[in-house]
Amino acid sequence: MNILTFDTEEWYYEKTVRDAREWKYKQFDELLDRLLAALDRRGLKATFFCIGKMATDFPHVVKKIHAAGHEIGCHSHVHTWMNKLTPEEALADTRQAVDALEQLTGEKVKSYRAPAFSVGETNTWFFEVLAECGITRDASVFPASRELGGFQSYGSAVPATIQYGNAVIHEFPVNTIRLLGKNLVCTGGGYFRIFPYWLIRHLLNDCDYMMYYFHLSDLLDEKRPRLTREQYERYFNESGTFLNRWKRQIKTNIGVADAFAKLEHLLDSVQFVNVDKADVLTDWIDMRTIQL
């Protein structure tokens, strides 16, 4: 089973972190049109995880995605790391985001992804927050170590039912591959841009489960300008040291030149479904249950 997802917040990022440049909004609009057309030509449906502010500040974007038949999932309200919030703050954020998206599309939001996969051992209570907001399926688990934490105790990177108190959530984690004795992720936009296409296909040939995730910015063929300390700290909510900003600059610029063409190659080679369809296709009786 191969799942295709996109985390969608670029317009809001431009408004709040950059300079609200009209030409930049147009650039994102054109790239989205190009992506939706590529998916439509292949009859593929994806899940677009949108922040609530996209529904209130840029409703035309969410409406366009929804009208094309793709699932609208929730990606928080203002792209805040969930492991930096209290349970009360996370509940308020998630309720606000879900309400904004549902009011705009007229459909129930059932899928969620935390910004930066910020759900792990330190905030397992967040699954109860999701359930309280009507979310039944999640794609926030990064079952390997990473700079923002990860969720290594999750175990094997395959779907599972998570139970926390009375909450029951179907989890679709990012999948990993074993390389040089470590669990690595190669199905995210950054990893996808860094690794050559032949290596990605080679590593995943034997995988029965794949969770791909991209940002539109992963597919934009241009060099990203360096963030100032203030811009970095406003968005990432962590110290904007030179090293942090330098690492972010490298990560966001590598491999952007051929990313869209590489994605189209992948879409031609792999049959994808969205999270909604994956939930239906999964035999949850045979999946493990994780008690938190």
Side-chain angles (χ1 to χ4, degrees), residues 111-130:
S111 299
Y112 186 92
R113 171 172 288 147
F117 299 93
S118 51
V119 175
E121 284 92 345
T122 62
N123 61 336
T124 53
W125 47 259
F126 188 66
F127 293 106
E128 193 166 48
V129 167
L130 294 181

Side-chain angles (χ1 to χ4, degrees), residues 2 50 136 191 247 250 288:
N2 311 304
C50 302
T136 60
Y191 308 92
K247 287 166 56 179
I250 296 297
R288 65 192 172 114

Side-chain angles (χ1 to χ4, degrees), residues 61-82:
V61 176
V62 181
K63 285 182 177 180
K64 183 180 294 185
I65 296 169
H66 183 254
H70 300 285
E71 181 188 12
I72 300 297
C74 181
H75 195 42
S76 82
H77 194 59
V78 291
H79 208 262
T80 302
W81 286 200
M82 291 300 116

Side-chain angles (χ1 to χ4, degrees), residues 178-247:
R178 193 74 176 171
L179 187 64
L180 301 178
K182 295 183 177 181
N183 288 329
L184 300 177
V185 175
C186 62
T187 55
Y191 308 92
F192 186 79
R193 287 186 281 105
I194 293 170
F195 294 162
Y197 183 78
W198 65 265
L199 178 59
I200 292 173
R201 293 299 298 135
H202 173 72
L203 292 174
L204 298 176
N205 275 340
D206 296 328
C207 290
D208 295 324
Y209 168 80
M210 288 191 288
M211 165 65 78
Y212 271 89
Y213 66 95
F214 298 90
H215 289 82
L216 257 68
S217 56
D218 288 317
L219 310 173
L220 191 60
D221 182 9
E222 68 171 21
K223 186 176 181 179
R224 280 60 157 175
R226 185 171 297 169
L227 290 171
T228 66
R229 177 186 291 271
E230 180 185 1
Q231 288 171 332
Y232 184 96
E233 293 181 348
R234 190 190 321 155
Y235 186 71
F236 292 104
N237 197 20
E238 64 181 13
S239 178
T241 63
F242 173 80
L243 179 60
N244 281 346
R245 287 182 286 128
W246 178 79
K247 287 166 56 179

Side-chain angles (χ1 to χ4, degrees), residues 6-7 17 26 37 39 49-50 62 64 76 86 101 106-107 146 165 184 186 193 214 239 249 259 264 273 289 291:
F6 296 89
D7 297 352
V17 178
K26 182 179 179 182
L39 295 172
F49 290 103
C50 302
V62 181
K64 183 180 294 185
S76 82
T86 66
L101 294 168
E107 289 191 4
R146 67 193 308 257
L184 300 177
C186 62
R193 287 186 281 105
F214 298 90
S239 178
Q249 181 75 2
E264 290 206 281
V273 297
T289 297
Q291 299 275 357

